[in-house]
Amino acid sequence: MARIVLENISKRFGKFTALDEISLQIEDGEFLVLLGPSGSGKTTLMYLIAGIYKPTVGRVFFDDLEVTKISPKDRNVGLVFQNWALYPHMKVYDNIAFPLTLKKMSKIHIDQKVRQVASMLKIDALLDRYPWQLSGGQQQRVAIARALVKEPKVLLFDEPLSNLDALLRLNVRAEIKRLQKDLQITSIYVTHDQAEALAIADRIAIINNGKLVQLGTPEEVYNNPEHTFVASFLGNPPMNLLNALLQKENEEISLRIDELQIQITERLCERLKNLSEVIVGFRPEHVELTDMPTDGVINIPAEIYTVEPMGREVFITVVVSGRIVKTICSQAERFSYKQKVFLKIKEENLLFFDPASGSRV
Amino acid sequence: MALKDVEVKKKMNQFLYTVVLLAFSLPIITGFSLLILSSFSNEMVTNFDFLKTFLTLQNWKLLFQGRIALTGGLRENILLYAFNTLIVALGVAVLTTFVGTISGYAISRMNFKGRKILLIMMLLLHALPGSVLIVGVYFLYRVSMPTNYQFIRYFSFFYVIIARAALEVPFSVWLMKGFFDMLPWEVEWSAIVDGASRWKVWYRIMLPLIKPGVVAVLIFGFLAGWQDIIYVRTFLIDKTLATFIESNLETEVAYMPLLAAAATFYLLPTVLFYVFSQQLLFKVYAGGIRR
């Protein structure tokens, strides 16, 4: 168990910059998720912590010990790979025992530990099978058992669920979270699946193009995205983002989306007065669809585009002056194609971003 | 109907393949059959004098008694020659495999200066025939190796094995590099993160995964050593089966059917290896790794 500190980490492969000045602190026993699209550098960052890659610039600390130049074999980290990387020529028992045999432990001691970890992960019945005789979920457990058996300071998961089918993924996800809470091992989990990240994390670090975009608890990053990237990456469907012009007429500011003009209150005017353009963001679940405009909230005229029943809720796509907006409604409501509606949004649910930098206003 | 059409075509192809393969291998099969038949006859079958020819086990009996002619007291220890051949073959096999697997791993997995040049040089070395290099090798041995007359007889085995293995190494390195290239990096990283050194990764994880490749290199090395004649003739004090047959072909007392028996005996391991290793060479060890 350890606190991990990344100090100004940059990693370049030739001319390509994979990671750009990332500083991050992961508390002892914390479950941190590195979230980002593929190619964003999140796996590279995890390999840097494992020691497989070495940073071009910057330092890595486990507790107060600098490990930047220490070989991965001496870092005592457990790593669960995306493809699990089990040793195909070894039985499950030997796979799990492998890290211990390298430590020159006594056979009895090894046996004891292997069986203990195996029973914790409920794979004790599979110990003398080969990896190819196991299902995906079982192989996954073996990989986790092998990572856990050496009692690592840090546990690293590299998209461990992406090779499992959808239903199994939900189960294993919950189990990994529970396991981490029981063992209190500092864990880092890499994924590109925002739902997985929100579900499992104590804190989420969102990475894009090798840069740390935002770091925070799932609630923070979901409710208060500091960047359009975060807003458009989290949530299913993600936040609606509309470009708008700010129209100023004698101290009063209104939003203009093409032909559409939306009046905003004075409190907002104060924040937006220095801008001429803005990106307006709002979550699909914060929109209500009504037939008539309502007083006291923002009303945007729209036309129904598609209706997608998802079981518990209904995804409704509407068109606002030629632009697609996603909303979520309860099952009870009925809408038909091309029906004219109004989007009803409370002003406090609107987020504003600077179109030039993408960051929050 | 379409399916039947395809099937007929397939059968035609099958037939064609068989005919072509037979046509190619017919001369070889005929040659070997005549050799083996001669070894069991009182006279070479290749004389085509079938009235005087009859089958006998006499040649094989004489061979193992160490007599190389029907008459006279010339005796040769054929079993010792077989043993010598085995030592050379095994030596070449083990050395080739060791060097091949270890450098194949390094070239496939490690980034070092001169890696590309090394690979190209290896290919170049492989392109040169062994007989061209023999003068140079001889010169090198003369200037650099100890020549103690008491031990030279045994020491000459090292001469042969090292020189002959060197000729096989480029091919085995390339073959092994190909096998190591196929293995996913994650398995290797996983082992390193688990606490293994590169050496341990190499022999506990990587080598078992490319077993078919290792066995293939072993077999190729063994056959190369077993079949070699020029290096054995140049450097070895003792005789092997190859040099025994070769030297006896030229003598006045040469009794051909007996030499045919010796040649058949000499051929056995080659045939056995090809029969038993065929399946293995096709097999690829996989499973547990999803890509």
Side-chain angles (χ1 to χ4, degrees):
Chain A
M1 265 153 269
R3 192 170 56 100
I4 303 167
V5 180
L6 304 177
E7 213 180 77
N8 255 331
I9 296 281
S10 290
K11 175 70 181 173
R12 280 184 282 277
F13 295 104
K15 278 183 183 165
F16 174 70
T17 305
L19 292 173
D20 193 10
E21 296 197 350
I22 288 188
S23 292
L24 191 59
Q25 184 163 327
I26 302 146
E27 297 305 328
D28 191 5
E30 188 181 21
F31 203 158
L32 182 91
V33 171
L34 299 175
L35 176 66
S38 49
S40 60
K42 54 193 192 307
T43 300
T44 308
L45 185 60
M46 201 190 64
Y47 283 171
L48 277 167
I49 296 167
I52 293 169
Y53 293 154
K54 303 281 184 290
T56 317
V57 186
R59 298 194 292 174
V60 183
F61 293 90
F62 285 3
D63 287 327
D64 294 321
L65 180 75
E66 185 179 345
V67 294
T68 316
K69 292 195 171 68
I70 289 181
S71 153
K73 74 188 179 76
D74 301 319
R75 289 198 188 188
N76 196 15
V77 297
L79 213 170
V80 179
F81 284 93
Q82 181 172 5
N83 59 10
W84 312 317
L86 299 178
Y87 312 126
H89 59 297
M90 292 184 188
K91 288 184 172 172
V92 169
Y93 182 95
D94 298 311
N95 258 286
I96 300 173
F98 183 72
L100 301 181
T101 57
L102 294 169
K103 285 183 180 170
K104 305 226 171 352
M105 259 184 208
S106 74
K107 277 222 168 99
I108 306 158
H109 198 179
I110 290 176
D111 188 70
Q112 200 183 338
K113 284 204 151 185
V114 170
R115 287 183 195 287
Q116 185 198 335
V117 170
S119 75
M120 186 167 77
L121 286 159
K122 303 182 192 79
I123 46 172
D124 21 9
L126 310 170
L127 286 177
D128 44 85
R129 296 212 200 154
Y130 282 99
W132 49 268
Q133 293 170 313
L134 306 181
S135 70
Q138 289 166 333
Q139 291 190 31
Q140 164 85 66
R141 283 161 186 276
V142 176
I144 295 175
R146 188 180 60 187
L148 279 177
V149 77
K150 56 188 162 182
E151 293 170 3
K153 281 189 194 149
V154 184
L155 200 52
L156 306 171
F157 297 91
D158 183 10
E159 310 209 12
L161 306 184
S162 59
N163 285 352
L164 300 178
D165 56 69
L167 202 62
L168 194 58
R169 207 176 293 174
L170 293 182
N171 291 335
V172 179
R173 185 171 89 187
E175 277 179 48
I176 289 179
K177 185 167 188 175
R178 179 59 200 250
L179 193 72
Q180 197 271 341
K181 286 282 160 285
D182 284 346
L183 299 173
Q184 286 292 311
I185 299 178
T186 313
S187 302
I188 296 165
Y189 186 107
V190 164
T191 184
H192 62 263
D193 181 343
Q194 52 86 27
E196 210 170 285
L198 290 171
I200 214 165
D202 290 335
R203 281 197 303 164
I204 300 178
I206 294 144
I207 293 171
N208 190 30
N209 290 329
K211 287 199 172 77
L212 182 62
V213 186
Q214 192 175 355
L215 175 68
T217 63
E219 294 76 23
E220 277 167 14
V221 291
Y222 186 81
N223 295 328
N224 290 310
E226 277 162 14
H227 196 276
T228 46
F229 175 77
V230 180
S232 63
F233 200 68
L234 290 174
N236 182 31
M239 185 177 275
N240 295 300
L241 297 170
L242 298 174
N243 282 69
L245 290 171
L246 288 173
Q247 232 168 25
K248 289 168 200 177
E249 280 169 34
N250 35 348
E251 295 297 303
E252 289 230 336
I253 303 179
S254 60
L255 292 169
R256 196 181 164 89
I257 302 168
D258 292 338
E259 310 294 282
L260 213 88
Q261 196 151 349
I262 301 160
Q263 290 298 327
I264 50 175
T265 56
E266 273 174 48
R267 195 174 50 84
L268 273 177
C269 294
E270 199 57 32
R271 271 162 61 201
L272 301 175
K273 66 181 177 192
N274 295 328
L275 292 163
S276 59
E277 271 179 74
V278 77
I279 295 173
V280 186
F282 52 92
R283 291 262 172 222
E285 63 269 31
H286 291 147
V287 178
E288 243 182 90
L289 296 178
T290 52
D291 292 333
M292 298 300 285
T294 323
D295 284 341
V297 293
I298 289 169
N299 294 286
I300 304 172
E303 190 187 285
I304 303 282
Y305 185 70
T306 51
V307 178
E308 298 163 86
M310 302 301 287
R312 190 177 37 201
E313 69 236 340
V314 184
F315 287 0
I316 296 172
T317 310
V318 299
V319 181
V320 175
S321 79
R323 278 174 257 197
I324 296 288
V325 168
K326 300 264 182 190
T327 69
I328 299 174
C329 289
S330 71
Q331 241 184 345
E333 293 170 84
R334 292 270 175 262
F335 294 98
S336 55
Y337 291 102
K338 296 197 175 175
Q339 186 184 338
K340 305 278 182 207
V341 290
F342 285 93
L343 306 184
K344 181 176 136 192
I345 311 163
K346 285 181 189 151
E347 202 176 77
E348 72 241 36
N349 288 329
L350 286 183
L351 301 175
F352 296 93
F353 302 92
D354 181 357
S357 64
S359 50
R360 196 63 185 278
V361 179
Chain B
M1 282 321 263
L3 196 77
K4 197 167 188 185
D5 195 14
V6 173
E7 261 180 15
V8 171
K9 223 175 174 181
K10 219 175 178 179
K11 268 182 190 163
M12 269 292 289
N13 277 343
Q14 206 77 42
F15 179 71
L16 211 74
Y17 291 148
T18 317
V19 168
V20 170
L21 281 178
L22 265 180
F24 272 114
S25 48
L26 202 63
I28 306 167
I29 292 174
T30 316
F32 281 127
S33 311
L34 288 176
L35 176 77
I36 293 165
L37 210 60
S38 297
S39 78
F40 289 105
S41 308
N42 66 323
E43 212 169 303
M44 290 303 278
V45 186
T46 43
N47 292 348
F48 296 109
D49 195 352
F50 296 115
L51 287 176
K52 282 195 223 160
T53 315
F54 55 88
L55 290 178
T56 171
L57 282 175
Q58 183 74 1
N59 304 322
W60 288 89
K61 231 189 258 169
L62 287 174
L63 183 72
F64 287 111
Q65 280 167 2
R67 289 166 62 183
I68 56 158
L70 280 173
T71 54
L74 282 170
R75 279 185 181 270
E76 299 251 20
N77 192 347
I78 191 82
L79 289 177
L80 178 71
Y81 298 157
F83 183 65
N84 289 343
T85 321
L86 194 69
I87 288 178
V88 171
L90 282 179
V92 172
V94 169
L95 194 60
T96 315
T97 311
F98 180 71
V99 177
T101 46
I102 214 160
S103 6
Y105 174 79
I107 286 174
S108 166
R109 295 290 166 135
M110 290 173 176
N111 207 357
F112 55 89
K113 238 184 178 176
R115 183 171 157 272
K116 277 223 171 100
I117 292 172
L118 198 69
L119 266 176
I120 292 164
M121 296 275 277
M122 291 243 189
L123 209 61
L124 214 74
L125 188 64
H126 187 57
L128 291 174
S131 46
V132 170
L133 299 171
I134 208 160
V135 179
V137 175
Y138 186 79
F139 177 75
L140 271 181
Y141 281 164
R142 281 308 292 264
V143 296
S144 64
M145 289 286 224
T147 44
N148 181 322
Y149 287 106
Q150 250 184 323
F151 296 111
I152 190 78
R153 198 174 155 205
Y154 306 106
F155 206 77
S156 65
F157 277 102
F158 289 102
Y159 280 10
V160 179
I161 289 168
I162 291 169
R164 198 61 191 82
L167 291 183
E168 294 303 307
V169 158
F171 171 70
S172 71
V173 169
W174 269 89
L175 191 75
M176 286 291 94
K177 179 195 173 288
F179 271 94
F180 283 118
D181 282 348
M182 283 189 335
L183 297 178
W185 268 103
E186 280 86 354
V187 175
E188 176 154 7
W189 282 336
S190 178
I192 293 175
V193 169
D194 278 348
S197 62
R198 287 310 273 270
W199 272 102
K200 281 197 173 130
V201 172
W202 175 72
Y203 78 80
R204 287 194 58 179
I205 306 295
M206 306 307 262
L207 276 193
L209 289 180
I210 55 161
K211 231 190 245 160
V214 176
V215 176
V217 170
L218 258 176
I219 289 172
F220 290 143
F222 184 90
L223 292 179
W226 186 267
Q227 285 164 357
D228 183 77
I229 178 151
I230 52 167
Y231 278 79
V232 169
R233 240 187 95 161
T234 315
F235 297 117
L236 198 67
I237 310 285
D238 278 74
K239 273 186 189 169
T240 65
L241 285 173
T243 45
F244 163 74
I245 293 167
E246 192 252 356
S247 62
N248 275 288
L249 272 175
E250 297 157 352
T251 54
E252 286 171 31
V253 292
Y255 176 50
M256 284 308 189
L258 195 144
L259 286 178
T264 309
F265 177 58
Y266 177 51
L267 211 74
L268 276 177
T270 316
V271 174
L272 285 179
F273 265 134
Y274 271 115
V275 169
F276 287 112
S277 62
Q278 229 179 19
Q279 284 302 312
L280 186 134
L281 296 184
F282 287 124
K283 212 171 91 182
V284 173
Y285 215 94
I289 311 166
R290 302 266 180 107
R291 289 196 233 194

